[in-house]
Each structure stands twice: as C-alpha cells, then as structure tokens.
Amino acid sequence: MSTTPPAIDVTVVESISRSEFAGREHLGTAGPATMLADNPVIELWCEQARGWRGRFWTYRPDETGALRLYPLNVARRSRTTR
C-alpha cells in the first residue's frame, strides 16, 4: 500500500481572509501547516504550489466530491495608519 497522497492540482492556491480562515479552523476544515508536520503532502506542495506561503491548509472537495487537503494562503493582516 502506497503512502503517497493522490495527485491533486495545486497550481492555483486559494487565498482567503483571516475571518474566513477562523471560521474554517473552528469547523476543523483548515489549520496551520505545522499540524501536518510529518505528512508527505507538505513537501509536494512546496514543490508544486509555487504561490503557497507554506503556512496553512484546507479541505476542499475534489472532482468526485471527496474532501482532500489543499494548500491555503491567508491574507496578511492589514496595517492601519493613524
């Protein structure tokens, strides 16, 4: 049995707001990449997902409707000027 994750298209990395990430994280459908430290998918994403910042992941349905791990970017905090 192979431990290599199935090939997924990670050429386009989803980007979401911090508040949307907080909602997904609360539901357990997104989180920090450190939660996947021993998962071989991290290395694949670093190679294949050029726009990924390497910090977050999310579950999304694939073409069959099954939930799969995908790299995720979360918007950086905006700075306000006073």
Side-chain angles (χ1 to χ4, degrees):
M1 185 167 149
S2 174
T3 59
T4 305
I8 58 172
D9 180 15
V10 293
T11 55
V12 177
V13 179
E14 181 182 10
S15 293
I16 62 173
S17 68
R18 289 217 168 257
S19 60
E20 187 174 353
F21 173 75
R24 287 188 192 187
E25 188 175 36
H26 177 74
L27 295 173
T29 60
T34 54
M35 291 178 68
L36 306 175
D38 295 330
N39 193 318
V41 76
I42 296 295
E43 187 175 319
L44 289 173
W45 290 348
C46 288
E47 294 171 4
Q48 297 173 3
R50 298 287 179 213
W52 186 50
R53 293 188 206 116
R55 299 186 62 203
F56 302 100
W57 60 267
T58 191
Y59 283 117
R60 287 193 335 224
D62 67 7
E63 63 279 349
T64 67
L67 290 179
R68 302 260 186 222
L69 281 171
Y70 285 87
L72 177 69
N73 286 332
V74 175
R76 294 182 174 135
R77 295 182 194 271
S78 60
R79 292 198 166 95
T80 56
T81 56
R82 293 180 184 210

